[in-house]
Amino acid sequence: MAKLVMLTLLGLGLALFRDHRASYQTRLNAFREVKPVELPNCNLVKGIESGSEDLEILPSGLAFISSGLKYPGIKNFEPDKPGKIFLMDLNEENPTVLELRITGSKFDHSSFNPHGISTFTDEDNTVYLLVVNHPDFKSTVELFKFQEEEKSLFHLKTIRHKLLPNLNDIVAVGPEHFYATNDHYFVDQYLRSWELYLGLAWSYVVYYSPTEVQVMADGFDFANGINISPDGKYVYISELLAHKIHVYEKHANWTLTPLKVIRIQNILREEPKVTLVYADNGTVLQGSTVASVYKGKLLIGTVFQKALYCEL
Ligand SMILES: *[C@@H]1O[C@H](CO)[C@@H](O)[C@H](O)[C@H]1NC(C)=O
């Protein structure tokens, strides 16, 4: 009898394990095959070999690109070098990238590990660049002033907060005001693995300002990219492992109300609601994370590898 109970428990345990393993593979899209969709005129961006995890294009056509992310479990081609922020002028015929120099005495360049980035331009056209940083795998937001003439970033301050423990991406709504995604709940690496594997969906989104910090949305299975509509009325949050994009209405008091969820499924069916403009199976690009458009050109970034610039 005791043996039967033990066997049943073992069986139940294994069933639970199998079930989680299957759903983990589905959540990761582990068996998805990607059929390439090509664009006629694409070029890899020279000088980007170690990631372009996030990028943002200013209305002027200047693009900021974060490169060199070190993230647990993810490949890195330059593990001994600090990360970089590149600048690319998309108005040029054959744009190249330039590494922005970082100035300011309080900033530790050797542990720079940039992840999501976002810009904010104030009334007198000062451009602030806010960068999620992981020095020693911790999470901070670095606030820089972009100095276009000098091609440099002047470090203004480092923001840390207990509600910003596992930052991934950020969208600025003021010089020191932003929404940010925490892609995990736990900080401890062991607990993080279980959180991810079991699909607890405890990842959340925070609003930060110097005077108020608050969780504004939660229950995500890995909240990843975050962005805001050009009119500033809606906030978009991508939920990586649920394969969803959430659309929220942003209120004057910075709270968010869920409006709708866009599930991107079956993108190649007869009447897609979403247009697939480019797809690659890993031959050219691996692990793409971000894309943005400027004057009919598409710039695509990747977690740890290259960047691609195409005509649409
Ligand atoms: C924030 O604003 C929204 C919309 O006006 C309102 O429904 C909500 O109660 C407000 N929340 C707080 C905490 O003030």
Side-chain angles (χ1 to χ4, degrees), residues 43-49 61-65 85-100 151 297 299 307-309:
N43 289 295
L44 290 167
V45 179
K46 279 201 190 66
I48 301 185
E49 303 289 340
L62 286 180
F64 296 100
I65 303 171
I85 303 291
F86 289 116
L87 185 71
M88 187 171 171
D89 185 351
L90 303 183
N91 299 296
E92 288 171 11
E93 189 67 31
N94 292 303
T96 53
V97 291
L98 178 134
E99 180 184 349
L100 286 172
K151 302 274 187 287
K297 301 276 184 68
L299 183 58
L308 192 73
Y309 190 50

Side-chain angles (χ1 to χ4, degrees), residues 89-148:
D89 185 351
L90 303 183
N91 299 296
E92 288 171 11
E93 189 67 31
N94 292 303
T96 53
V97 291
L98 178 134
E99 180 184 349
L100 286 172
R101 207 161 45 85
I102 294 177
T103 58
S105 56
K106 279 187 288 177
F107 186 68
D108 174 24
H109 188 255
S110 66
S111 64
F112 190 38
N113 185 6
H115 197 171
I117 62 174
S118 183
T119 64
F120 181 79
T121 306
D122 73 11
E123 315 81 67
D124 52 351
N125 272 327
T126 304
V127 175
Y128 296 93
L129 183 71
L130 290 80
V131 180
V132 170
N133 185 17
H134 301 294
D136 306 316
F137 297 103
K138 294 184 178 74
S139 282
T140 63
V141 173
E142 309 297 342
L143 176 61
F144 298 101
K145 192 167 115 184
F146 174 49
Q147 298 181 303
E148 192 173 342

Side-chain angles (χ1 to χ4, degrees), residues 6 18 22 38 63 84 102 124 139 158 184 188 196 207 247:
M6 259 175 65
R18 283 241 312 260
E38 287 173 9
K84 298 166 185 173
I102 294 177
D124 52 351
S139 282
T158 297
H184 289 71
D188 176 83
L196 196 70
Y207 170 72
V247 182

Side-chain angles (χ1 to χ4, degrees), residues 250-267:
K250 174 174 89 55
H251 300 291
N253 59 17
W254 305 106
T255 60
L256 300 173
T257 7
L259 272 189
K260 62 174 169 182
V261 178
I262 304 170
R263 283 207 65 188
I264 301 180
Q265 271 180 310
N266 204 5
I267 204 165

Side-chain angles (χ1 to χ4, degrees), residues 80-293:
D80 303 326
K81 287 194 184 162
K84 298 166 185 173
I85 303 291
F86 289 116
L87 185 71
M88 187 171 171
D89 185 351
L90 303 183
N91 299 296
E92 288 171 11
E93 189 67 31
N94 292 303
T96 53
V97 291
L98 178 134
E99 180 184 349
L100 286 172
R101 207 161 45 85
I102 294 177
T103 58
S105 56
K106 279 187 288 177
F107 186 68
D108 174 24
H109 188 255
S110 66
S111 64
F112 190 38
N113 185 6
H115 197 171
I117 62 174
S118 183
T119 64
F120 181 79
T121 306
D122 73 11
E123 315 81 67
D124 52 351
N125 272 327
T126 304
V127 175
Y128 296 93
L129 183 71
L130 290 80
V131 180
V132 170
N133 185 17
H134 301 294
D136 306 316
F137 297 103
K138 294 184 178 74
S139 282
T140 63
V141 173
E142 309 297 342
L143 176 61
F144 298 101
K145 192 167 115 184
F146 174 49
Q147 298 181 303
E148 192 173 342
E149 296 293 301
E150 298 91 332
K151 302 274 187 287
S152 67
L153 294 170
F154 179 71
H155 184 251
L156 294 170
K157 74 184 326 186
T158 297
I159 296 168
R160 291 181 192 84
H161 194 276
K162 66 176 192 303
L163 287 179
L164 307 173
N166 295 302
L167 293 175
N168 187 307
D169 195 18
I170 175 175
V171 61
V173 291
E176 286 182 54
H177 311 64
F178 55 83
Y179 291 96
T181 56
N182 284 296
D183 57 26
H184 289 71
Y185 175 84
F186 291 113
V187 174
D188 176 83
Q189 193 50 50
Y190 179 76
L191 294 175
R192 280 162 67 98
S193 305
W194 279 105
E195 177 188 351
L196 196 70
Y197 182 68
L198 295 174
L200 298 182
W202 287 0
S203 155
Y204 56 100
V205 171
V206 169
Y207 170 72
Y208 178 95
S209 74
T211 52
E212 187 204 347
V213 189
Q214 205 180 319
V215 176
M216 291 303 189
D218 60 9
F220 298 101
D221 192 1
F222 205 111
N224 197 328
I226 187 163
N227 218 325
I228 197 163
S229 59
D231 62 11
K233 286 185 185 163
Y234 306 102
V235 169
Y236 310 110
I237 299 165
S238 77
E239 188 180 14
L240 180 71
L241 298 178
H243 322 143
K244 290 174 184 167
I245 306 229
H246 297 260
V247 182
Y248 289 85
E249 187 177 356
K250 174 174 89 55
H251 300 291
N253 59 17
W254 305 106
T255 60
L256 300 173
T257 7
L259 272 189
K260 62 174 169 182
V261 178
I262 304 170
R263 283 207 65 188
I264 301 180
Q265 271 180 310
N266 204 5
I267 204 165
L268 293 174
R269 71 174 179 264
E270 292 280 301
E271 293 174 69
K273 286 188 188 140
V274 183
T275 313
L276 186 62
V277 292
Y278 179 86
D280 183 66
N281 58 16
T283 317
V284 181
L285 279 191
Q286 296 162 10
S288 62
T289 45
V290 61
S292 192
V293 171

Side-chain angles (χ1 to χ4, degrees), residues 41-62:
N41 196 358
C42 291
N43 289 295
L44 290 167
V45 179
K46 279 201 190 66
I48 301 185
E49 303 289 340
S50 191
S52 44
E53 206 277 341
D54 202 10
L55 59 90
E56 185 161 318
I57 308 172
L58 293 175
S60 67
L62 286 180

